[in-house]
């Protein structure tokens, strides 16, 4: 194990400034080609969330009752927390099914085009179609593995809640206050685990495009990369996700509510919906740029080596000292 020179730790505000500067450098490409690539996905997300509350399909009630039966079979007590969780999970699954074709095509193509544009040495030359397609395959493979990771995170939290509630019942703590306290703790745990899982998935997608490696290896690199930097990643992801939620609420208020009130779709309402979907696309582009810059700043203090035909690797970890600097330690492992 060897010590390498120290580097200043990357701050959140520095990454945000660098991301905005990079976005403005390639402003015309990001706001035209990349945003148009993301527009169908953005429209599908907004329309699916508008369609879910008024859906007459039998799929949504089926998902809801299946989850309800699963929670009852697991022994979860009838509480408001699990009722809300059941509703939100069924709506999320239903919306994900509706938008899955757009996610696997337009969203991944958008991310591939952005990553290729940021990796280019010549900022003026637009990415070619074949170069984007070359990045699309590892992104698609990583997205499939990300889906399994999200499922595993949900299953892990539900398993922990299952054991916790059964232990609580076994020790005789069945009062409403005990159930409420454990439900609140479960909600906090569920939020923390899912937030970290989504951040790892987002980093894995960008890393698969940056290094052209897909699948579990991109997720493994993302886990190594985020080590000790989870708070920075959360602080970078929170503003973008809040802005996306605000745009979704704006679409519900300006388009969906107006449509239900007027009971018809007018030209002004259509143009306003297109503008809101375009703003959603811009935020998706900006989120990818921020994630790319975060990965680049982390890779300055960490690296890995892969050797063809061998399973050896080298990972460099960053350790923080009192002066807000990080020192790099290298660890090599061989099977």
């Amino acid at each position: 194990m060897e010590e390498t020179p120290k580097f200043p730790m990357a701050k959140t505000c520095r990454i945000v400034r660098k991301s905005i500067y990079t976005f403005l450098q390639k402003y015309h490409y990001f706001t035209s080609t990349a945003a148009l690539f993301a527009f169908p996905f953005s429209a599908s997300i907004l329309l699916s969330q508008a369609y879910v509350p008024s859906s007459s399909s039998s799929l949504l009630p089926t998902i809801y009752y299946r989850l309800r039966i699963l929670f009852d079979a697991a022994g979860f007590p009838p509480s408001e927390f699990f009722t809300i969780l059941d509703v939100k999970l069924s709506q999320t699954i239903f919306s994900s099914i509706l938008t899955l074709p757009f996610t696997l095509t337009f969203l991944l193509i958008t991310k591939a085009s952005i990553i290729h544009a940021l990796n280019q040495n010549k900022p003026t030359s637009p990415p070619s179609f074949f170069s984007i397609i070359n990045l699309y395959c590892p992104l698609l493979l990583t997205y499939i593995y990300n889906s399994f990771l999200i499922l595993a995170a949900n299953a892990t939290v539900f398993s922990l809640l299952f054991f916790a509630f059964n232990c609580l019942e076994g020790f005789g703590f069945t009062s409403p206050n005990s159930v409420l306290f454990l439900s609140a703790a479960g909600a906090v745990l569920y939020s923390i685990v899912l937030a970290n899982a989504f951040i790892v998935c987002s980093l894995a997608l960008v890393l698969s495009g940056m290094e052209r490696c897909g699948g579990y290896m991109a997720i493994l690199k993302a886990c190594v990369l985020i080590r000790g930097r989870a708070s920075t990643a959360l602080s970078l992801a929170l503003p973008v996700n809040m802005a996306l939620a605000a745009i979704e609420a704006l679409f519900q208020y300006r388009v969906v509510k107006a449509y239900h009130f007027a009971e018809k779709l007018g030209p002004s309402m259509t143009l306003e919906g297109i503008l809101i979907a375009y703003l959603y696309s811009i935020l998706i582009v900006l989120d990818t740029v921020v994630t790319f810059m975060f990965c680049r700043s982390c890779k300055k203090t960490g690296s890995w080596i892969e050797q063809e035909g061998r399973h050896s690797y080298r990972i460099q970890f960053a350790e923080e000292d009192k002066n807000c600097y990080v020192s790099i330690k290298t660890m090599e492992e061989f099977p």
Side-chain angles (χ1 to χ4, degrees):
M1 188 168 296
E2 57 182 6
E3 200 82 16
T4 59
K6 297 181 178 181
F7 297 91
M9 192 192 314
K11 298 293 184 180
T12 303
C13 58
R14 185 182 305 171
I15 297 174
V16 172
R17 288 199 302 266
K18 180 64 176 176
S19 302
I20 295 175
Y21 174 76
T22 305
F23 179 81
L24 295 177
Q25 265 191 325
K26 302 175 183 290
Y27 175 79
H28 293 291
Y29 176 76
F30 287 150
T31 56
S32 57
T33 306
L36 289 178
F37 277 147
F39 184 83
F41 170 76
S42 303
S44 68
I45 285 287
L46 296 174
L47 291 175
S48 67
Q49 295 187 357
Y51 177 71
V52 164
S54 59
S55 174
S56 58
S57 173
S58 61
L59 181 60
L60 181 59
T62 301
I63 297 173
Y64 174 80
Y65 288 118
R66 292 292 182 182
L67 289 175
R68 184 74 265 168
I69 293 173
L70 182 62
F71 288 163
D72 292 339
F76 293 141
S79 63
E80 187 177 357
F81 166 70
F82 286 106
T83 302
I84 296 174
L85 182 62
D86 192 4
V87 172
K88 293 300 181 182
L89 272 179
S90 57
Q91 291 179 352
T92 302
I93 294 172
F94 183 72
S95 178
S96 300
I97 293 174
L98 291 180
T99 60
L100 183 61
F102 299 93
T103 303
L104 296 179
T105 53
F106 292 103
L107 178 63
L108 296 184
I109 290 175
T110 301
K111 289 185 176 292
S113 65
I114 296 169
I115 294 169
H116 189 275
L118 293 173
N119 272 330
Q120 276 187 318
N121 296 325
K122 297 180 180 180
T124 55
S125 57
S128 64
F129 176 76
F130 293 103
S131 60
I132 294 176
I133 294 301
N134 287 334
L135 290 182
Y136 174 80
C137 294
L139 285 173
L140 178 61
L141 183 60
T142 304
Y143 184 85
I144 295 173
Y145 276 83
N146 284 347
S147 302
F148 289 112
L149 177 62
I150 298 298
L151 288 176
N154 280 274
T156 301
V157 175
F158 289 144
S159 300
L160 292 175
L161 290 177
F162 168 76
F163 286 115
F165 277 106
N166 279 274
C167 290
L168 193 71
E169 184 179 358
F171 286 112
F173 297 102
T174 56
S175 63
N177 290 332
S178 300
V179 173
L180 179 63
F181 174 77
L182 191 56
S183 299
V188 173
L189 176 65
Y190 186 73
S191 302
I192 293 174
V193 171
L194 270 195
N196 283 276
F198 278 117
I199 287 175
V200 169
C201 291
S202 179
L203 290 176
L205 274 179
V206 174
L207 280 173
S208 64
M210 293 175 67
E211 304 196 353
R212 299 176 185 269
C213 65
Y216 72 93
M217 184 56 67
I219 297 177
L220 177 62
K221 290 182 178 182
C223 292
V224 173
L225 206 63
I226 204 176
R227 183 179 181 270
R229 308 178 181 94
S231 58
T232 303
L234 285 170
S235 61
L236 289 172
L238 183 61
V240 178
N241 283 275
M242 290 181 63
L244 291 173
I247 291 182
E248 292 171 5
L250 179 64
F251 184 82
Q252 292 284 335
Y253 177 75
R254 295 294 301 174
V255 179
V256 178
K257 186 177 179 180
Y259 172 76
H260 288 306
F261 180 77
E263 296 183 350
K264 65 178 181 178
L265 190 64
S268 60
M269 197 184 305
T270 304
L271 290 176
E272 194 168 2
I274 292 174
L275 177 61
I276 295 174
Y278 177 75
L279 291 176
Y280 198 93
S281 304
I282 293 295
L283 279 179
I284 291 175
V285 173
L286 187 58
D287 177 57
T288 307
V289 174
V290 171
T291 307
F292 183 93
M293 292 302 162
F294 175 70
C295 291
R296 176 174 287 179
S297 67
C298 292
K299 287 178 65 176
K300 291 180 180 178
T301 56
S303 64
W304 39 73
I305 292 177
E306 300 174 27
Q307 297 181 9
E308 185 176 359
R310 300 179 62 186
H311 296 285
S312 61
Y313 61 90
R314 185 180 69 190
I315 301 175
Q316 293 182 343
F317 297 105
E319 294 185 354
E320 182 180 355
D321 60 13
K322 296 183 292 184
N323 300 320
C324 294
Y325 280 78
V326 291
S327 57
I328 311 303
K329 291 185 177 182
T330 302
M331 180 177 66
E332 295 189 2
E333 296 186 7
F334 298 88

